[in-house]
Amino acid sequence: MVQRIIDAGQAVLIEHGYDGASTNRIAEAAGISPGSLYQYFPGKDAIVTAVIDRYNSEVASRVHSSVLAQLHQPPETAVPATISALLDALGSHPALLRAVIEQTPRLSGDTTVFAFEQQIGELARVALTMHRHSLPDDVDFEAASWMLVRAVEHLAIRYILDQPAVSRERFLTEITRLVLNYFRPAPGLSPAKTPAPRPSRAERE
């Protein structure tokens, strides 16, 4: 019955958005009375949170598996493969993704997003650390992994929702080029060297 209500909540959320997803509509879609619904969920937000949690968990599981499978591959191979898996996971329910991202307020379901970002961020940090011998000494792995995960996540979501006039192959090429910059030495620098700080105007004078 719980899964039945969550399925109904997902269908209603997609069709009517968060504002129109009343418990009465969800109960009707589930084929039960509102009173029966309240035996399992205290209200609309609890149902929507369950919908979001289930969706986030499905996406996280698919992407996490891909990252682990590609962890020991060279970045040129691992990065596009992992982002492709993210696009597939997000694109499996584009209408639900739009409802969650654009129509639903931030609910407690965000905890699954945070956990996902933390897990993938840790794997990104590990991947960067594995290639530290070829990177400049000033790379901050914590900051880099935080930015990488959120930049890729945001761009992938917008690509699915906005449907720009950009082919999937071109999108993967461009976003891979962006990500790979973190795995390469800075131009003109050896891995062990960092640029000297530029003197201030007062110091030049």
Side-chain angles (χ1 to χ4, degrees):
M1 180 60 73
V2 169
Q3 293 305 314
R4 183 173 168 182
I5 294 172
I6 293 174
D7 289 342
Q10 176 174 313
V12 171
L13 182 64
I14 290 172
E15 182 176 357
H16 299 282
Y18 174 80
D19 290 339
S22 65
T23 52
N24 285 343
R25 276 180 170 159
I26 295 172
E28 181 180 0
I32 60 176
S33 68
S36 296
L37 181 148
Y38 284 117
Q39 293 178 16
Y40 297 92
F41 291 93
K44 177 177 78 172
D45 282 357
I47 299 172
V48 173
T49 295
V51 170
I52 295 173
D53 280 346
R54 184 175 68 177
Y55 176 60
N56 287 338
S57 295
E58 291 172 354
V59 172
S61 177
R62 294 175 64 173
V63 176
H64 192 270
S65 296
S66 178
V67 172
L68 286 177
Q70 299 291 330
L71 193 58
H72 294 285
Q73 297 296 321
E76 294 79 6
T77 300
V79 169
T82 299
I83 296 175
S84 183
L86 176 61
L87 290 177
D88 289 341
L90 292 173
S92 62
H93 294 292
L96 177 58
L97 176 64
R98 184 176 299 281
V100 169
I101 296 297
E102 297 182 348
Q103 303 170 10
T104 305
R106 298 181 69 86
L107 303 172
S108 59
D110 287 340
T111 56
T112 56
V113 176
F114 178 75
F116 165 66
E117 291 172 342
Q118 291 290 100
Q119 293 172 12
I120 303 303
E122 177 61 20
L123 292 175
R125 188 190 65 77
V126 169
L128 286 167
T129 302
M130 290 170 61
H131 294 84
R132 62 182 178 275
H133 61 279
S134 64
L135 303 180
D137 288 341
D138 66 342
V139 172
D140 184 325
F141 295 137
E142 294 294 337
S145 61
W146 187 93
M147 294 181 68
L148 275 172
V149 170
R150 285 150 185 83
V152 169
E153 181 183 35
H154 176 76
L155 287 171
I157 288 172
R158 293 323 313 174
Y159 181 75
I160 295 296
L161 296 184
D162 297 347
Q163 299 183 356
V166 178
S167 69
R168 180 184 171 113
E169 291 74 17
R170 174 51 57 186
F171 175 81
L172 285 172
T173 297
E174 297 301 330
I175 196 171
T176 297
R177 180 178 291 125
L178 184 154
V179 173
L180 288 183
N181 284 326
Y182 277 96
F183 291 88
R184 293 169 178 159
L189 295 177
S190 67
K193 294 181 180 180
T194 57
R198 187 176 180 181
S200 66
R201 180 176 179 181
E203 289 173 330
R204 293 197 303 271
E205 293 175 351

